[in-house]
Amino acid sequence: METNEQQIALVGLNMGGPDSLEAVEPFLLNLFSDRELIRLPLGAWLQRPLARLIAHRRARRVRPNYAAIGGSSPLLHWTTRQVAGAAERAGHRFIPFVAMRYWTPRAEETVEAIRAAGLQRAMVLSLYPHYTGATTGSSINDFQQAVERLHPQLDCRFIDRWHDWHPYQVALAARIREGLEEIPVELRWETQIVFSAHALPQSFIDRGDPYLEHVQQTVRGAMALVGDFPWRLAFQSRSGPVQWMEPDTEETIGELAREGHKALLMVPVSFVSDHIETLHEIDIEYRQLAENLGVRHFRRAPSLNDHADFLWALAALVRSHLPEGWEG
Amino acid sequence: METNEQQIALVGLNMGGPDSLEAVEPFLLNLFSDRELIRLPLGAWLQRPLARLIAHRRARRVRPNYAAIGGSSPLLHWTTRQVAGAAERAGHRFIPFVAMRYWTPRAEETVEAIRAAGLQRAMVLSLYPHYTGATTGSSINDFQQAVERLHPQLDCRFIDRWHDWHPYQVALAARIREGLEEIPVELRWETQIVFSAHALPQSFIDRGDPYLEHVQQTVRGAMALVGDFPWRLAFQSRSGPVQWMEPDTEETIGELAREGHKALLMVPVSFVSDHIETLHEIDIEYRQLAENLGVRHFRRAPSLNDHADFLWALAALVRSHLPEGWEG
C-alpha cells in the first residue's frame, strides 16, 4: 500500500437519495432508522420496525414524485461534481470523495477507498451549511465511526458549519439575482422573495441547535448583496405529527398570493443542490398552488449545484480550514 | 413638452473612443485638448495647437491598433449596455443615457435628449470607479456645464466614486476566478495575478487625488474573495515624458517572467469594459512580451462588460444613492 503524505482526501458529506424507484423504500428505511435524525416514539428497540412501516407507506406516496423528476435523486450527481470541482480549485493535492448518510456511497465504502488510496489526511466537509445534529451531526458521527473501524490512522479535520462564509453568501446572491432576471422588469422590484429552508421539528431548536440562527444569518448576508427587495423566510417539507418550525412555506405562499402579490421568487436555502424538495415540492407542488391562487410569475432561483462561484467558495472554505503543516 | 416627475434619467459617464479609423485623430485631439486631463507645457493658449500636433503623430501610431481590434473602440457599445442593464435592474423608473467626454454622444447631445424627454431628475454615474480629477472630475464638470447651458432645471445627483462598493468587488472577483479557470489545475495556485490600472502622472497623486488609494482598496477587496494567490498591482499605458505612477505593467511582467513564473493572469482594474488598453495593449502587446520571455500561460480576466452581476452591482449602487423623496 502506497502512502502519499502530500495528498489530502476532500470528503463531502450529504444525505444521499434513491438512485432508482426501487431504492426509494430502502432509502427511506435508512433515513427513518436514524435516531439522530428522527426519534420515533416507543424507544430505540422499536425504531427499526416502526421505520419499516413508515418507509413502506411513505414510499408509496413519494415514488411518483421521483418518477416525475426522472426516476431518481440528482443529489449524488451534484455532490460528486461539487466535491470534485472544489478539490480541483483548492489545489491539485486534494483528492475528492463523497460519503452519503442514507444511500450509496456510504461512509464505510468511502473510508475504505481513502485507505486503499494510501491517504492519511482528510478534510471532511459537511454539505449542509447550517448546523443541526439531525443532519451534519449525524453524518459526521457516521463518518467518524467508519474511520475508527476501518482506517483509524486517518487524520480528519471537520468543517461542520459555514452559514456565514461570505463567498457562499455571494454565490447564493448571484442565484437570487438570476431568478429575479426571470421576472418582467415592470414587476421586478415588487417581487416577493421567499427563502425556503427544510423544516426541523421545533424540539431540535428548543434543545439548542443553532440551525434557525444559521439560516437567518445566511439569508441576511445574501440579501445585503441582492438589494432592498421584500423577503420572508419559511420552512418546507414537514412530515409527521410533531410541532415543526414555522412559518410553513406552503402557508406563506398562500398568504402572499391572497395579499394580491403577482410575482414570487422562491429561494431554496439549506439545500445546496437540486433534489426532490426543489424539483418536485417547489417547482411542481408549490407552483401549482401559487398559480391557482393568481400568482402570475412564480419562479425559483437556480440551486447552487456546480456554479463556478460556489465551487470557488467551497475551495476557499477548505483552504481556510487547512491546519498548520498541511499547507504543503 | 411632457414632464414626467416619476422618471429619472440614469446617465453613465465615460471617456468615449473612436467609432472608426477616421475618428482616431479627432478623438485624440479632443483628449489632448482637455486641460483637466493633460496640462501640456507652455500654457492654456498653446494647448490646442500642441494637442493638434500630438494627436496627429499619435494617431499614426495607434490607428493600426484600432484596426487590429476591429476598426473602432467597443467602449460605447459596452457603456450603453451597462447603463441600460443597470437602469432596467434598478427599477422601471430609470431611463438610460450615456455621455462621453471625448467622442459622441457628447454631454450637450445627451442633456438635450434628457430635456426633450421631459425629465427633471438625473442620477449621474461615473463609470470610473476610482476617483481622479483627470477622468471623473473632468467628465462631471463637462456634464454640469452642459446642464447649466441647456437644461438648468435638471436636478442632478452624482456618483463619482465606488471603488469600495462591495458588489462591484464581488463582480470583479468573479471575473478573476473565470480567468484562473483558464490556467491548468496543476499550475493554478502558482498563478501570479497582475492587476493593471491605467497609469496617471505621479503629479496627480502628489496633488492629492485619491486614485491610487482607491485602486488599492478595490484590489484588496477583490482578493479577499478570490483567495490567497500571489498578486501585484502595476500601471499601464504611460505616454509622454513625465513621471508616471509605478511600477509599470510591462516591467512587472518582464520581472515575473525572468523570475521563472509560468502562469500569469492579468486583471484590468480601473477599466470596467473592454477597450484598446485591454484588447490590444494587454491581449496582444503584453502577451507577446510574456510569451517571448517564456511565460507558458498568459491569460487575462474577462472585463466586467455586461456580466449580470456587474449590472446588478451598478443598479444597487444607483438605488443606494437615491435621495429622500426620489424613491417613488
Side-chain angles (χ1 to χ4, degrees):
Chain A
M1 192 177 75
E2 194 194 340
T3 292
N4 191 331
E5 302 229 334
Q6 291 295 307
Q7 292 188 315
I8 301 168
L10 176 60
V11 186
L13 303 182
N14 212 329
M15 66 183 300
D19 52 4
S20 69
L21 294 182
E22 292 69 46
V24 171
E25 187 168 333
F27 161 76
L28 289 174
L29 175 58
N30 288 343
L31 190 139
F32 287 113
S33 302
D34 179 11
R35 278 180 72 76
E36 290 185 77
L37 177 68
I38 294 162
R39 248 160 224 255
L40 297 176
L42 310 176
W45 65 284
L46 264 179
Q47 176 97 6
R48 188 84 181 172
L50 253 177
R52 205 176 300 276
L53 221 82
I54 297 171
H56 183 70
R57 284 183 43 191
R58 203 172 156 73
R60 252 196 319 215
R61 192 144 54 84
V62 302
R63 227 181 267 114
N65 299 352
Y66 280 105
I69 66 164
S72 66
S73 164
L75 194 65
L76 179 59
H77 167 81
W78 290 122
T79 308
T80 304
R81 289 181 69 89
Q82 287 169 340
V83 181
E88 181 192 313
R89 285 164 186 80
H92 58 292
R93 291 181 309 125
F94 291 90
I95 317 292
F97 295 88
V98 167
M100 293 301 196
R101 181 67 185 86
Y102 305 117
W103 206 242
T104 54
R106 296 292 303 268
E108 293 80 5
E109 190 183 325
T110 304
V111 171
E112 197 49 74
I114 293 170
R115 204 185 53 79
L119 302 176
Q120 306 291 336
R121 290 169 169 176
M123 297 290 295
V124 184
L125 170 65
S126 163
L127 285 160
Y128 306 101
H130 314 94
Y131 186 88
T132 155
T135 56
T136 299
S138 174
S139 276
I140 287 181
N141 288 341
D142 181 52
F143 187 80
Q144 276 181 311
Q145 284 161 19
V147 169
E148 278 161 33
R149 211 163 46 249
L150 301 168
H151 188 13
Q153 291 79 32
L154 187 66
D155 187 357
C156 293
R157 307 304 165 108
F158 294 92
I159 305 174
D160 70 353
R161 63 197 71 202
W162 37 283
H163 58 286
D164 56 353
W165 182 241
H166 188 60
Y168 155 58
Q169 298 175 349
V170 165
L172 182 60
R175 301 294 85 73
I176 297 170
R177 289 189 301 237
E178 283 170 16
L180 287 168
E181 302 252 335
E182 306 232 335
I183 311 244
V185 170
E186 63 277 12
L187 277 176
R188 195 173 290 155
W189 281 91
E190 288 144 44
T191 304
Q192 301 287 317
I193 298 179
V194 180
F195 288 91
S196 187
H198 205 293
L200 286 180
Q202 181 61 32
S203 56
F204 282 79
I205 307 303
D206 297 342
R207 83 182 179 195
D209 264 17
Y211 179 77
L212 173 60
E213 199 185 307
H214 284 188
V215 171
Q216 287 169 334
Q217 280 185 40
T218 296
V219 170
R220 281 196 295 262
M223 284 311 297
L225 289 158
V226 170
D228 48 342
F229 288 84
W231 62 268
R232 303 189 186 191
L233 169 60
F235 300 90
Q236 73 181 78
S237 318
R238 47 173 72 174
S239 68
V242 299
Q243 173 67 35
W244 293 86
M245 291 169 75
E246 299 195 317
D248 178 66
T249 301
E250 210 163 345
E251 285 168 16
T252 300
I253 293 170
E255 217 170 273
L256 289 168
R258 279 186 287 273
E259 286 172 12
H261 296 291
K262 294 299 171 213
L264 256 65
L265 179 69
M266 305 300 299
V267 181
V269 65
S270 83
F271 313 100
V272 297
S273 58
D274 277 318
H275 50 343
I276 193 83
E277 286 86 350
T278 56
L279 300 176
H280 198 275
E281 202 166 359
I282 296 180
D283 291 356
I284 299 179
E285 297 170 43
Y286 295 165
R287 172 188 303 277
Q288 191 149 25
L289 165 78
E291 291 180 349
N292 287 347
L293 291 171
V295 174
R296 277 215 307 278
H297 303 279
F298 182 89
R299 297 285 181 277
R300 175 173 67 80
S303 294
L304 292 163
N305 292 345
D306 63 348
H307 280 269
D309 46 11
F310 181 54
L311 303 182
W312 279 98
L314 292 179
L317 177 68
V318 169
R319 287 178 66 93
S320 76
H321 279 76
L322 276 182
E324 199 95 12
W326 284 29
E327 291 92 347
Chain B
M1 191 177 76
E2 195 195 340
T3 291
N4 191 332
E5 302 228 333
Q6 292 295 307
Q7 292 188 314
I8 302 168
L10 175 60
V11 186
L13 304 181
N14 213 328
M15 67 183 300
D19 51 4
S20 69
L21 294 183
E22 291 69 45
V24 171
E25 188 169 333
F27 161 75
L28 289 174
L29 174 58
N30 288 341
L31 190 140
F32 287 112
S33 300
D34 179 11
R35 279 180 71 76
E36 290 184 77
L37 178 68
I38 294 161
R39 249 161 223 252
L40 297 176
L42 310 175
W45 65 284
L46 263 179
Q47 176 97 6
R48 187 84 180 172
L50 253 177
R52 205 177 299 276
L53 222 84
I54 297 170
H56 183 70
R57 283 182 45 191
R58 204 171 155 76
R60 254 196 318 217
R61 191 145 52 86
V62 301
R63 225 181 269 114
N65 299 352
Y66 280 103
I69 66 164
S72 65
S73 164
L75 194 64
L76 179 59
H77 167 80
W78 289 123
T79 307
T80 304
R81 291 181 68 88
Q82 287 170 339
V83 181
E88 181 193 312
R89 285 164 185 80
H92 58 292
R93 293 180 309 124
F94 290 90
I95 317 292
F97 295 88
V98 166
M100 293 299 197
R101 182 65 186 89
Y102 305 117
W103 205 242
T104 55
R106 296 292 303 267
E108 292 81 4
E109 190 183 326
T110 304
V111 171
E112 197 50 73
I114 293 171
R115 204 185 54 78
L119 301 176
Q120 306 290 335
R121 290 170 169 176
M123 298 290 295
V124 184
L125 169 66
S126 164
L127 285 160
Y128 306 101
H130 315 94
Y131 186 88
T132 155
T135 57
T136 299
S138 175
S139 276
I140 287 182
N141 288 342
D142 182 51
F143 187 80
Q144 275 181 311
Q145 284 161 20
V147 169
E148 278 160 33
R149 213 164 45 248
L150 301 168
H151 188 13
Q153 292 77 32
L154 187 66
D155 188 357
C156 293
R157 306 304 165 107
F158 294 91
I159 305 174
D160 70 352
R161 62 196 71 202
W162 37 282
H163 58 285
D164 55 354
W165 182 241
H166 188 60
Y168 154 59
Q169 298 176 350
V170 165
L172 182 60
R175 302 293 86 71
I176 297 170
R177 289 189 302 237
E178 283 171 17
L180 288 168
E181 302 254 332
E182 306 233 334
I183 311 242
V185 170
E186 63 277 12
L187 277 176
R188 195 174 289 157
W189 281 92
E190 287 143 43
T191 304
Q192 301 287 317
I193 298 180
V194 180
F195 288 91
S196 186
H198 204 294
L200 287 180
Q202 181 60 32
S203 57
F204 281 79
I205 307 304
D206 296 342
R207 82 182 178 195
D209 265 16
Y211 179 78
L212 174 60
E213 200 184 306
H214 284 188
V215 171
Q216 287 169 334
Q217 280 185 40
T218 295
V219 170
R220 281 195 294 262
M223 285 311 297
L225 289 158
V226 171
D228 48 343
F229 288 84
W231 62 268
R232 302 190 186 191
L233 169 61
F235 300 91
Q236 73 181 80
S237 318
R238 47 173 73 174
S239 68
V242 300
Q243 172 68 35
W244 292 86
M245 290 169 73
E246 297 193 318
D248 177 68
T249 300
E250 210 164 346
E251 286 168 16
T252 300
I253 293 170
E255 218 170 90
L256 289 168
R258 278 185 290 272
E259 286 171 13
H261 296 292
K262 294 297 172 216
L264 256 65
L265 178 69
M266 305 300 299
V267 181
V269 65
S270 82
F271 313 99
V272 297
S273 57
D274 278 318
H275 49 344
I276 194 84
E277 285 86 350
T278 55
L279 299 177
H280 198 275
E281 202 166 358
I282 296 180
D283 290 356
I284 299 179
E285 297 171 42
Y286 295 164
R287 172 187 305 276
Q288 191 149 25
L289 166 77
E291 291 180 350
N292 286 347
L293 291 171
V295 174
R296 277 214 308 275
H297 304 280
F298 182 88
R299 296 286 182 276
R300 174 173 66 82
S303 294
L304 291 165
N305 292 345
D306 63 348
H307 280 269
D309 47 10
F310 181 55
L311 303 183
W312 278 99
L314 292 179
L317 177 67
V318 168
R319 288 178 66 92
S320 77
H321 279 76
L322 275 182
E324 199 95 12
W326 284 30
E327 291 92 347

